Amino acid sequence: MNNALINQLVQQLKINVAGVVCCEFSQLPHQLMSFFDQQKLPKSLITNLDLDIGMAIEITKGRATGDEAVGLSQAIAAISETGTLVLASSASNPTSINFLVDHHLVLIEAKDIVANLTDAMNKLSKMDAFDQRALNFISGPSRTADIEQTIQLGAHGPRNLWVFILI
Amino acid sequence: MKTIDPINTTNPNGFKNQASAALEDTNLQTALQRAKSGFIEKRKKAIHLVDDFEHLKTQAQQAKQSALDNLNHHLALFEKNVVASGGAVHRAKTPAELNQIVLKICQQQNAKLVTKGKSMVSEETHLNAFLEKHGISTAETDLGEYIIQLAKEKPSHIIAPAVHKTRQQVAELFKHNHELGERDLEEIRALVDEARAMLRKAFLLADVGITGANLLVADTGSVAIVTNEGNGDLTATLPKTHIVTASIEKVVANMEDAGKILQVLGRSATGQAMSTYTSFFNGPRRTEDLDGPSAFHVVILDNGRSDILNSKYKDMMRCIKCGACLNHCPVYGAVGGHAYGDVYPGPMGSVLTPLMKGIEQATPLPNASTFCGRCEEVCPMSIPLPELLRQLRNDQATKGLAPKLQSMALGIYGWLARKPRLFQLTMGMFGRVVKLFKVSHILPQETPAPDAPDTFVQQWKKSKQGHSENE
Ligand code: SF4
């Protein structure tokens, strides 16, 4: 496992104003609970991933409709240099979750981290990722600087991006 | 205080009066000052963070140039691949054709409401006005575009359309247009939240979503859109139909080349290594998908671009619409975007507008330049903007379009410019005379009297001693 890539990804995500947690898969339920506690949010989320993350969090399966506060997806790649996650649309990762929820939680396996955009393009081409309807490269929560050049998070998409790096 | 009404009265030939009005518009001057330093600083920081930005630029230029050199092949391949993934490609020679194609698709869907992501091509064709005329409501969803839609204005910057507005002006617009009663809109946060809530409804209701495209990728048939707000993605994901309005020069060969261009785009535009969202769309939803549009159309506009590609101005087609040349242009910085009187302002607009509209429709624009050369330096595609402007002036002179006095003055300017020592001395003196006697009206365009103690070149040298950027 490449620790340098993980460290750089963590750093860059923080620069991009995203929350980051590194944990083993077995700790994920616990880490998710901490997220909800820390953010003082009702423990429910929307996802279409097949995950067993314990009974304490109410999980709704499907796509987002605009009513859900928290959504969970899995990235197929991450770019450490720029703190970017790559999400591909599929039955288990409906694109609406990436943009309609207020808090977007994203899982990324450490083995799927690459160094830069060029490596990402190569990896995605090899995986035939461009056969999916949509690929979203996400580098932080939604933002705008359209009023007086002042950066504000949560323009139209998530106000909060939270990344779980699974090691 | 004069203000300019960009929708009804401006045109490229009115540059001089529009520029004068802009210089007297205090709100505009405040907004421009703020924006300028912001953009320049952000870009500078981002470029300092990469080892060799010149190398990234060269790579990006090669990617773009090789696509342009074989444009028809790449466009055909793009079309084939979009069709293979279940989408449709339409070609439009003129703005009117594009509008018709889009209208037809909307009518087939029985569309009442269309959400729009930012698209300069649709600005070129005045698509919103056309759809509205046919009973279809349009909601711009990029915050800046939304603000100017409410204000019934044109964008004044290609990536920051409402850069000319102060927060107080935005608050006024919101109070006037949103029936939400008394509320506090002092803070920018409150304005962003209010726009978010209003536009959320539109996103969920819209029948059709129309976005622009930053890139068309030939060998995968993908459309790439770059945003920070996520509005482009909501527009492309939620409605049943997604229409992309693009132009022919957006095509690149493959994902590797797309990556090369993305590496310079965000850094040059907003000083970001990657914008928050870069998305690739490859056709309509797949059978197993739970969301995404069931119809996917790409309309590709020419509007004179093929002719430009076959002319001595072909370098202009490498433009990736990053806006860096606007941000670093002293003329744009002084008068803002509306003074240029058309869709594309700043140095790139001063080249594009005469080429697309006809040189006689935009005679002042090639002269709206101090020839300081900053635009070419910061252009990630190394487009020789000053040289292209010079050629346009030549064409004007040949056609007898340049005013007599102006060609004389330019003749002298040109003669001086070829003699750097003398030029610097004369310009330094000239600036001081103008300032001392408050006679700025003698300048070819009504340029403000310089208020810096040194000449431009003197200041430039000083600032270069402090730090060197990417030289
Ligand atoms: S001309 Fe160059 S700097 Fe200006 S917008 Fe185009 S690519 Fe950017």
Side-chain angles (χ1 to χ4, degrees):
Chain A
M1 192 174 314
N2 192 336
N3 283 327
L5 287 185
I6 297 177
N7 288 339
Q8 194 186 24
L9 180 65
V10 171
Q11 251 178 36
Q12 281 303 319
L13 281 167
K14 285 184 179 162
I15 292 172
N16 296 349
V17 209
V20 202
V21 174
C22 283
C23 65
E24 285 177 19
F25 188 80
S26 59
Q27 293 173 332
L28 185 62
H30 169 71
Q31 291 294 347
L32 284 169
M33 287 295 279
S34 319
F35 163 81
F36 281 100
D37 288 338
Q38 202 184 325
Q39 299 286 315
K40 300 192 176 60
L41 288 164
K43 294 187 179 61
S44 76
L45 61 78
I46 179 88
T47 188
N48 215 34
L49 293 169
D50 273 322
L51 276 181
D52 180 15
I53 42 178
M55 304 295 282
I57 299 168
E58 182 200 334
I59 292 179
T60 313
K61 296 294 282 287
R63 66 185 174 88
T65 61
D67 297 329
E68 305 82 5
V70 184
L72 176 70
S73 321
Q74 177 153 13
I76 57 169
I79 304 170
S80 63
E81 187 185 64
T82 52
T84 303
L85 302 158
V86 185
L87 283 84
S89 64
S90 67
S92 46
N93 278 293
T95 312
S96 50
I97 295 180
N98 307 351
F99 298 98
L100 276 176
V101 299
D102 270 359
H103 307 266
H104 189 207
L105 314 183
V106 182
L107 311 179
I108 172 78
E109 290 187 42
K111 68 170 175 48
D112 293 328
I113 305 173
V114 297
N116 52 43
L117 185 61
T118 313
D119 291 355
M121 289 303 192
N122 286 336
K123 178 180 164 76
L124 296 171
S125 296
K126 275 192 206 118
M127 294 166 73
D128 288 329
F130 294 97
D131 289 351
Q132 305 300 112
R133 181 191 71 82
L135 280 190
N136 305 119
F137 289 58
I138 300 179
S139 312
S142 154
R143 65 180 67 201
T144 182
D146 270 352
I147 302 177
E148 294 191 352
Q149 299 286 295
T150 313
I151 291 177
Q152 298 287 328
L153 299 183
H156 293 297
R159 299 169 192 273
N160 206 341
L161 175 71
W162 215 271
V163 183
F164 298 85
I165 303 176
L166 302 173
I167 47 178
Chain B
M1 187 183 75
K2 288 189 224 170
T3 40
I4 30 180
D5 173 1
I7 263 199
N8 300 317
T9 53
T10 62
N11 72 72
N13 270 339
F15 180 79
K16 198 172 147 186
N17 290 338
Q18 286 146 206
S20 305
L23 288 167
E24 287 177 36
D25 184 335
T26 42
N27 274 330
L28 175 66
Q29 290 302 324
T30 317
L32 283 173
Q33 266 311 321
R34 181 183 305 114
K36 196 175 166 188
S37 47
F39 274 124
I40 292 178
E41 281 308 311
K42 284 181 203 162
R43 173 184 170 278
K44 190 181 262 172
K45 272 192 198 145
I47 284 168
H48 270 300
L49 285 174
V50 286
D51 295 337
D52 191 354
F53 192 63
E54 284 307 311
H55 173 66
L56 295 186
K57 273 167 67 175
T58 311
Q59 276 193 338
Q61 288 161 27
Q62 283 166 354
K64 188 81 180 175
Q65 194 55 52
S66 68
L68 290 176
D69 288 344
N70 216 341
L71 190 71
N72 288 335
H73 162 75
H74 290 112
L75 285 171
L77 187 60
F78 172 77
E79 177 164 351
K80 189 180 131 219
N81 286 320
V82 172
V83 171
S85 56
V89 175
H90 315 257
R91 300 285 288 269
K93 212 164 168 43
T94 62
E97 276 177 40
L98 179 135
N99 289 350
Q100 279 299 343
I101 294 167
V102 173
L103 176 66
K104 212 169 141 202
I105 301 168
C106 291
Q107 284 173 338
Q108 278 163 1
Q109 299 299 319
N110 220 345
K112 302 276 176 300
L113 174 65
V114 167
T115 41
K116 286 196 63 225
K118 215 169 104 44
S119 158
M120 290 310 291
V121 162
S122 77
E123 296 286 346
E124 248 177 65
T125 71
H126 305 289
L127 179 61
N128 289 6
F130 181 79
L131 291 177
E132 301 266 350
K133 209 175 79 195
H134 288 85
I136 298 169
S137 303
T138 58
E140 289 289 349
T141 62
D142 171 83
L143 180 55
E145 288 280 347
Y146 178 64
I147 291 167
I148 59 161
Q149 191 183 28
L150 294 182
K152 301 191 170 49
E153 291 178 10
K154 287 182 196 167
S156 70
H157 189 292
I158 55 175
I159 64 158
V163 71
H164 58 289
K165 292 268 182 243
T166 61
R167 78 173 82 175
Q168 289 78 13
Q169 290 176 306
V170 177
E172 275 308 303
L173 277 170
F174 281 13
K175 288 199 169 150
H176 189 75
N177 285 279
H178 304 156
E179 285 168 13
L180 294 170
E182 263 315 298
R183 61 206 185 278
D184 185 1
L185 291 180
E186 274 295 296
E187 300 295 324
I188 295 177
R189 182 73 250 169
L191 295 168
V192 172
D193 282 338
E194 184 162 314
R196 178 186 171 103
M198 299 302 289
L199 286 166
R200 221 2 121 82
K201 292 181 205 152
F203 282 127
L204 293 166
L205 270 175
D207 310 291
V208 173
I210 301 178
T211 65
N214 290 88
L215 296 164
L216 307 174
V217 186
D219 83 342
T220 54
S222 311
V223 172
I225 295 175
V226 178
T227 75
N228 274 311
E229 299 182 1
N231 64 307
D233 289 282
L234 286 162
T235 305
T237 307
L238 301 180
K240 286 199 295 287
T241 301
H242 177 199
I243 305 175
V244 178
T245 50
S247 49
I248 56 170
E249 85 286 6
K250 294 285 178 196
V251 75
V252 293
N254 49 41
M255 280 297 160
E256 200 187 327
D257 284 1
K260 289 174 184 165
I261 291 171
L262 290 172
Q263 302 227 36
V264 298
L265 177 61
R267 291 183 169 103
S268 303
T270 49
Q272 289 167 288
M274 282 285 276
S275 301
T276 306
Y277 300 113
T278 301
S279 296
F280 294 89
F281 301 106
N282 317 298
R285 72 202 280 173
R286 313 297 191 241
T287 30
E288 68 279 11
D289 284 348
L290 302 184
D291 53 20
S294 38
F296 180 77
H297 297 268
V298 187
V299 193
I300 308 177
L301 177 68
D302 189 312
N303 196 19
R305 289 172 170 83
S306 294
D307 294 340
I308 298 175
L309 272 170
N310 287 322
S311 75
K312 60 184 174 197
Y313 297 106
K314 64 175 188 296
D315 285 341
M316 197 58 222
M317 288 294 105
R318 284 202 306 272
C319 175
I320 53 171
K321 310 273 164 27
C322 72
C325 60
L326 280 62
N327 300 334
H328 292 77
C329 174
V331 178
Y332 179 92
V335 301
H338 288 154
Y340 292 80
D342 207 61
V343 180
Y344 299 108
M348 53 85 80
S350 294
V351 176
L352 271 178
T353 308
L355 292 177
M356 288 171 57
K357 295 233 142 156
I359 200 163
E360 61 294 336
Q361 301 297 319
T363 15
L365 294 191
N367 302 297
S369 162
T370 63
F371 285 89
C372 70
R374 199 71 183 113
C375 51
E376 180 174 357
E377 263 180 67
V378 298
C379 175
M381 304 313 281
S382 297
I383 297 171
L385 292 153
E387 179 52 31
L388 297 180
L389 288 169
R390 222 171 264 128
Q391 288 185 18
L392 280 164
R393 285 183 178 189
N394 270 345
D395 289 1
Q396 283 180 338
T398 321
K399 287 192 176 176
L401 285 166
K404 235 198 175 122
L405 182 67
Q406 187 177 299
S407 30
M408 202 177 77
L410 284 176
I412 297 168
Y413 187 91
W415 176 77
L416 281 170
R418 269 175 263 128
K419 300 175 173 52
R421 276 289 305 155
L422 186 60
F423 178 74
Q424 280 171 32
L425 270 173
T426 323
M427 282 295 127
M429 261 164 50
F430 186 56
R432 277 179 207 107
V433 168
V434 167
K435 194 179 163 195
L436 202 59
F437 298 102
K438 301 200 177 1
V439 286
S440 62
H441 57 273
I442 66 163
L443 295 173
Q445 265 87 46
E446 292 194 25
T447 325
D451 59 5
D454 303 327
T455 64
F456 177 77
V457 175
Q458 285 161 345
Q459 291 181 59
W460 179 242
K461 279 194 181 139
K462 272 191 201 162
S463 75
K464 286 255 256 201
Q465 278 157 11
H467 45 252
S468 78
E469 194 182 303
N470 50 1
E471 291 81 11

